[in-house]
Amino acid sequence: TGVRTCALPISICLKQYISEREYKEINQLEVLCSLKDKSNLKLELDYKVSVTKNDYIGLKEINEYLYYVEDVLVAYLGISSFGGNNGEINGMTHPDFRRKGLFAKLFKLATEECQKRNFNNIFLLSDSKSRSGTFFIKAVCGKYDFSEYRMKLLNKTILENINSINLRKAEEADKREIAKQNAIFFYGSEEGESFPEEEEIINMTTYMIELNKAIIGKIRIEHSDNSAFICGFGILPNFRGKGYGKQALKEVLRIINEENINDVELDVESKNNNALNLYKVCGFEEMSVMNYYRINI
């Protein structure tokens, strides 16, 4: 359900979820902006369009902000939240419509929404090569926090069979364990806390990593056309430094290879040297850098 704030030719649409049609509109704008700016965006579109929608009346949470001129999408902003009570903001404006305050209007609406949801941290994302993104972030006084590398599998390694660990597809009964591990891996939470369960996503498979039938970690594959994205990967602290992470990653790459998928990517925080070295050993190389800036509102 969208909310049109004014009549044509200009309108702003506020939504909780994006539709297939809006996915295509945003994707077309993303391609245009990426070609113009020679940079990447992290809009999480495949995740957003695949998430299982809850039935509701009206807007529960506003995550999508679309700016139309004569029914053509010229600016977009999205809020993503993957746990830890953090909000991530990313978006773009059509090159022909920049410096007109369009994105600033969407950003104001988004920050008001973030305040309502009481996020602990709000991050504004920008590719390190994006001049327009960097300019806007400076204008809103964003403070640099950390960077994340987008890595692509360019050199396939030997995908030998793995004997010491086992990967099995996650089941309904694993939801609590997955939520707990997400908190440990990505938010530094301790066991015993309350963790949000992961949403059900179409074209996504989570594997539980087992050693002698005991769960020691997890890893997720998101499929889109002829590509795969690896995420949600971690080994529990007591089992790190023993080579299990490398074995699990190689096993996942073997699974992806069997599906004849050659385009494989993942993200890793730039300061996570252990993970960075692991991915490089397994054939991944850095393609771009996404900078995260903390926003105070």
Side-chain angles (χ1 to χ4, degrees):
T1 301
V3 178
R4 298 280 179 171
T5 61
C6 57
L8 291 175
I10 297 173
S11 60
I12 297 176
C13 188
L14 312 179
K15 305 195 68 177
Q16 181 169 3
Y17 305 111
I18 57 172
S19 66
E20 290 284 351
R21 178 183 64 82
E22 289 153 349
Y23 170 90
K24 292 178 181 177
E25 291 178 330
I26 299 168
N27 189 60
Q28 288 172 355
L29 182 58
E30 179 184 10
V31 170
L32 188 154
C33 291
S34 294
L35 289 174
K36 173 70 175 180
D37 300 331
K38 305 282 191 293
S39 61
N40 294 318
L41 291 151
K42 189 179 180 184
L43 303 178
E44 309 290 357
L45 294 184
D46 291 322
Y47 176 92
K48 289 184 171 185
V49 79
S50 299
V51 69
T52 301
K53 276 65 171 185
N54 297 318
D55 293 330
Y56 66 95
I57 298 174
L59 291 173
K60 182 180 178 183
E61 294 177 341
I62 303 173
N63 297 313
E64 314 300 334
Y65 301 77
L66 302 96
Y67 197 112
Y68 291 90
V69 175
E70 295 184 343
D71 277 342
V72 176
L73 182 68
V74 297
Y76 166 76
L77 180 149
I79 299 174
S80 298
S81 181
F82 301 106
N85 202 33
N86 298 323
E88 298 180 3
I89 296 174
N90 202 350
M92 61 200 162
T93 302
H94 190 293
D96 295 341
F97 289 85
R98 293 175 181 171
R99 304 297 179 94
K100 300 179 186 297
L102 276 63
F103 193 81
K105 289 181 181 178
L106 300 186
F107 182 73
K108 183 176 184 297
L109 293 171
T111 52
E112 289 172 355
E113 171 70 11
C114 290
Q115 283 181 309
K116 290 179 184 177
R117 287 155 72 172
N118 294 314
F119 285 130
N120 290 334
N121 302 294
I122 303 169
F123 296 105
L124 187 55
L125 282 59
S126 176
D127 188 295
S128 62
K129 297 178 182 177
S130 174
R131 295 179 63 186
S132 59
T134 302
F135 178 84
F136 181 82
I137 288 168
K138 286 183 178 179
V140 298
C141 301
K143 184 178 180 181
Y144 174 80
D145 197 271
F146 68 96
S147 296
E148 192 175 67
Y149 293 132
R150 172 60 56 90
M151 304 188 77
K152 188 180 184 71
L153 182 65
L154 297 180
N155 305 302
K156 288 192 175 182
T157 56
I158 299 173
L159 304 175
E160 69 271 14
N161 290 325
I162 305 302
N163 296 319
S164 60
I165 65 162
N166 176 60
L167 265 60
R168 67 165 176 83
K169 290 185 179 180
E171 303 169 349
E172 185 73 19
D174 294 310
K175 277 192 172 182
R176 172 66 185 173
E177 178 65 24
I178 291 171
K180 183 183 76 173
Q181 291 193 22
N182 280 339
I184 293 171
F185 299 151
F186 309 118
Y187 311 115
S189 299
E190 298 295 330
E191 294 186 27
E193 295 183 13
S194 177
F195 312 120
E197 291 187 350
E198 199 167 75
E199 299 229 39
E200 181 184 348
I201 309 295
I202 302 169
N203 298 331
M204 179 191 85
T205 305
T206 297
Y207 291 91
M208 308 309 294
I209 305 168
E210 295 181 327
L211 176 67
N212 298 324
K213 297 186 178 179
I215 298 173
I216 65 169
K218 68 179 185 68
I219 190 167
R220 188 172 79 200
I221 307 173
E222 294 179 4
H223 296 88
S224 177
D225 298 326
N226 190 38
S227 65
F229 191 82
I230 297 173
C231 53
F233 179 27
I235 300 293
L236 291 172
N238 290 343
F239 298 92
R240 293 174 185 168
K242 304 177 187 299
Y244 299 134
K246 182 177 180 181
Q247 292 180 28
L249 180 58
K250 284 196 171 186
E251 179 66 4
V252 160
L253 292 177
R254 186 186 64 78
I255 292 170
I256 293 172
N257 190 59
E258 286 183 348
E259 298 174 355
N260 295 317
I261 294 175
N262 296 314
D263 188 358
V264 185
E265 295 184 333
L266 53 80
D267 288 334
V268 59
E269 188 175 339
S270 60
K271 294 180 181 178
N272 191 344
N273 291 324
N274 289 337
L276 191 58
N277 291 334
L278 168 62
Y279 298 140
K280 287 181 177 179
V281 166
C282 290
F284 287 86
E285 293 186 15
E286 300 157 16
M287 302 300 293
S288 62
V289 180
M290 185 66 64
N291 292 329
Y292 285 66
Y293 297 83
R294 190 180 298 272
I295 304 297
N296 295 317
I297 57 174

